[in-house]
Amino acid sequence: MSAGDPPTVIGGSRPQDDLQSRLARLEQSLLRWRRSASCIAALALGLTLLAWSSVADGLDARRFRLLDDAGRVRAALDFDARDEPRFALVDAAGKPRLQLRLQGAEAFVDLLDERGRHRLGLAIDTAGLPQVLLLDEEQRPRYQLAMNEKGAPGMMFLAGDSTICAGQGIDTNGEPWRIDRPLRAEPKQGEAGASEKDRGR
């Protein structure tokens, strides 16, 4: 055998052919394993969903929290100290910006500013009547829109000490009414009247 002749392979097969055959068998085994794993995963998922739908009608818990990518609480559903349910949305600075809450027969929606101060409120009171309330930076009511039990609406503008300074609406007979001068409560005996600053004038 000269230096240029190919080597003689004993057994009738070349090492390269044997390696390719092994790789082919390995690929087939991996393919079968992936198919089996997919079937097992699908079966497990189906059994889990079947068990969930047949055993549980929902998810029970005392508290839920929604976290952002930084791990900050951005929404929460829980109970207050009176065991009434409430829901809150929180901004990135950790300040509550929207609250939904119940208090007995009353229902409230509170909107808060970037410092967490209550600025707008929606409510259904104990009589089932709707109200809208606007508050100033000190969280004092300054405007109220409400409806009475007969469905007659009215709105009032208030000073900083809750004095009704103006208002208008319609009565239960459909007749308009109007307040065009402040209605101040008489100070109790021994109490000084509110100052102009306190009245927001």
Side-chain angles (χ1 to χ4, degrees):
M1 182 177 66
S2 65
D5 292 334
T8 301
V9 179
I10 300 174
S13 63
R14 295 167 55 192
Q16 186 175 5
D17 294 338
D18 187 54
L19 180 61
Q20 289 177 349
S21 176
R22 290 184 180 184
L23 288 175
R25 288 196 300 271
L26 180 60
E27 288 176 355
Q28 291 176 356
S29 297
L30 288 174
L31 181 60
R32 286 194 297 270
W33 183 86
R34 287 176 185 148
R35 289 174 179 169
S36 299
S38 299
C39 292
I40 292 172
L43 179 61
L45 178 60
L47 291 175
T48 301
L49 293 176
L50 180 62
W52 177 267
S53 62
S54 62
V55 175
D57 293 328
L59 181 63
D60 296 330
R62 292 283 302 172
R63 184 180 185 188
F64 291 95
R65 297 193 306 166
L66 180 66
L67 308 180
D68 63 14
D69 290 339
R72 296 170 298 194
V73 177
R74 302 300 301 275
L77 177 61
D78 60 7
F79 292 89
D80 63 17
R82 296 180 297 270
D83 210 31
E84 294 281 9
R86 62 184 176 183
F87 173 73
L89 296 180
V90 181
D91 64 19
K95 297 292 185 181
R97 302 302 302 273
L98 181 146
Q99 294 179 345
L100 307 177
R101 55 192 177 91
L102 296 180
Q103 185 175 325
E106 298 176 290
F108 299 91
V109 178
D110 305 322
L111 299 179
L112 303 97
D113 64 17
E114 70 282 358
R115 291 199 281 178
R117 297 169 303 188
H118 188 190
R119 301 302 301 275
L120 170 63
L122 309 175
I124 302 294
D125 65 18
T126 54
L129 303 174
Q131 298 185 31
V132 178
L133 196 66
L134 304 183
L135 302 96
D136 63 17
E137 291 186 351
E138 302 300 324
Q139 303 186 94
R140 299 173 299 189
R142 304 303 295 269
Y143 170 83
Q144 182 180 24
L145 175 64
M147 181 179 292
N148 68 17
E149 65 279 359
K150 300 294 185 180
M155 61 180 178
M156 294 181 291
F157 300 88
L158 300 94
D161 64 348
S162 298
T163 295
I164 301 173
C165 296
Q168 63 181 22
I170 59 174
D171 61 22
T172 55
N173 297 319
E175 297 294 327
W177 58 263
R178 182 171 182 172
I179 300 171
D180 54 10
R181 62 180 181 179
L183 300 178
R184 297 189 180 93
E186 293 295 330
K188 296 179 181 179
Q189 188 174 3
E191 292 183 356
S195 65
E196 292 296 309
K197 181 179 179 181
D198 291 337
R199 284 193 290 266
R201 301 296 294 277

